[in-house]
Amino acid sequence: AESLLHNMFSCIVVGFVCLVLTEQLYYLPKSVLAAIIFLALRNMIDTAPCFGVKGVKDPEDDTKWKVKPVPSLWKVSKSEWFQWVVAFLFTTFMGVTGGIFASIGLSLALLLKTASHPNTAVLGQLEGTQTFVPMKLYGQAKEIPGVKVFRYDGPITFASKDWFETKVIKMFMQDISDTKVHSLVLDVGSVGSIDTSAATAIKLVVEELRRSVAPGLKVYFGNWRGNMDDVGISVMEFSKFEQIVPQPYYLTIHAAVEHAIANFEEAEATKDGGDEESGLEVGGAPSIDQDGVEGTEMVPVAPPAPADL
């Protein structure tokens, strides 16, 4: 068929057979009907993703077949391979209906697992740039002394707050550097939503880290934008998170890191009784000013109104 109109003609033929030829087809053996259905659906049965091989006709002799290696789902995605096997087995032994329900149930379970256990990463800065990348994937990335940058690739909700807490605490427990960690920057660029229970959990995690491994820890949010500007800030205000760190929202990770370092150096200078400036060059990365307009001055500001975005 060269166009989608073939579907219309197929429907016409099937409708004609069902309305006119049913009496003639009534006496056909079920094996014949099964063979017709099998031939019609044989192209839908593809075992190559599971076994990594596929039978193809020999180009030199159409009467012969040969085995051709193809990419296996096992090497590409083990979860998809497992879905394929479950669907195949349930369909084979429990029928089409059982296979459909098993596939849907397994897919929902995997979606819930992904939503409650999203990917996370500890980020480091590429030398000479303002880019932060996962340290496991980029060996040349370096951590900022005293600052931990943590990326969370999913919504922070009641279903995933325990996972978030576990991964953040694990990051601090595995830290072997000699420099005291004074700031935590959370990359929320992939966080599409956050609810009140999760915001409260973040607050409790910060308080726990302050008591145990990082006294005086301050938390900042990088890549804070999109839906987080409106709903996210309202949720954080409801959980009274800003009582710990006032207005910690920044458009980029680099801006949040620079402000974290500047705040720490200022606090250290004040504590030591020194009045001289730290000499940190501030700028180059936008912050959010009080009118919701991007600027280069690194100061914490009030959240922008939705109308200004």
Side-chain angles (χ1 to χ4, degrees):
E2 297 182 357
S3 69
L4 295 178
L5 287 177
H6 76 279
N7 291 322
M8 181 183 70
F9 290 104
S10 298
C11 293
I12 292 174
V13 172
V14 172
F16 176 77
V17 171
C18 293
L19 293 174
V20 179
L21 301 179
T22 52
E23 293 184 2
Q24 287 74 15
L25 297 176
Y26 177 80
Y27 296 101
L28 281 176
K30 290 184 178 181
S31 58
V32 176
L33 297 176
I36 295 174
I37 295 174
F38 178 79
L39 289 175
L41 300 179
R42 64 178 179 176
N43 291 331
M44 297 179 62
I45 302 175
D46 185 11
T47 59
C50 179
F51 301 107
V53 294
K54 184 177 183 180
V56 295
K57 287 186 177 181
D58 191 334
E60 299 179 357
D61 188 353
D62 291 343
T63 62
K64 295 182 179 180
W65 290 73
K66 63 179 183 179
V67 176
K68 177 183 178 182
V70 295
S72 172
L73 274 179
W74 177 259
K75 296 181 179 179
V76 178
S77 173
K78 291 180 174 56
S79 62
E80 291 187 49
W81 179 87
F82 183 66
Q83 285 180 278
W84 189 97
V85 172
V86 170
F88 178 81
L89 293 177
F90 271 82
T91 303
T92 302
F93 296 104
M94 299 185 64
V96 175
T97 303
I100 291 175
F101 279 109
S103 301
I104 293 175
L106 180 59
S107 298
L108 290 175
L110 291 175
L111 286 175
L112 290 175
K113 180 182 180 299
T114 302
S116 60
H117 292 74
N119 292 327
T120 61
V122 179
L123 305 185
Q125 186 178 25
L126 295 177
E127 187 176 359
T129 71
Q130 298 181 3
T131 304
F132 288 80
V133 294
M135 297 189 63
K136 281 188 176 181
L137 301 180
Y138 297 85
Q140 65 272 33
K142 303 296 182 182
E143 278 193 308
I144 305 297
V147 180
K148 287 288 186 180
V149 183
F150 179 78
R151 190 181 72 192
Y152 194 78
D153 294 334
I156 307 178
T157 62
F158 71 95
S160 61
K161 62 183 181 67
D162 292 337
W163 177 251
F164 174 87
E165 178 181 354
T166 300
K167 299 300 285 187
V168 171
I169 293 177
K170 180 180 179 180
M171 176 182 65
F172 275 84
M173 293 300 179
Q174 292 180 343
D175 182 36
I176 58 175
S177 63
D178 297 330
T179 306
K180 171 188 173 183
V181 178
H182 56 77
S183 300
L184 169 63
V185 175
L186 299 176
D187 177 8
V188 293
S190 300
V191 178
S193 62
I194 183 172
D195 62 16
T196 55
S197 61
T200 302
I202 296 176
K203 179 181 176 182
L204 295 176
V205 169
V206 175
E207 293 175 345
E208 174 63 26
L209 290 173
R210 283 183 168 184
R211 288 193 300 266
S212 56
V213 296
L217 179 71
K218 292 186 180 296
V219 180
Y220 304 87
F221 296 93
N223 287 330
W224 188 280
R225 62 192 70 183
N227 185 53
M228 299 294 286
D229 281 342
D230 184 16
V231 179
I233 290 180
S234 299
V235 169
M236 299 303 284
E237 290 177 348
F238 177 82
S239 65
K240 300 180 180 180
F241 182 82
E242 292 193 9
Q243 291 181 358
I244 299 180
V245 181
Q247 303 169 354
Y249 316 111
Y250 292 88
L251 287 177
T252 66
I253 300 176
H254 181 71
V257 169
E258 281 198 333
H259 188 70
I261 296 174
N263 268 357
F264 174 72
E265 292 186 351
E266 181 180 354
E268 288 295 301
T270 303
K271 182 168 50 176
D272 296 337
D275 295 330
E276 61 180 15
E277 297 180 358
S278 63
L280 176 68
E281 182 181 357
V282 178
S287 63
I288 306 175
D289 63 21
Q290 294 182 354
D291 297 320
V293 179
E294 293 185 6
T296 56
E297 184 180 2
M298 298 314 304
V299 293
V301 293
D308 295 328
L309 300 178

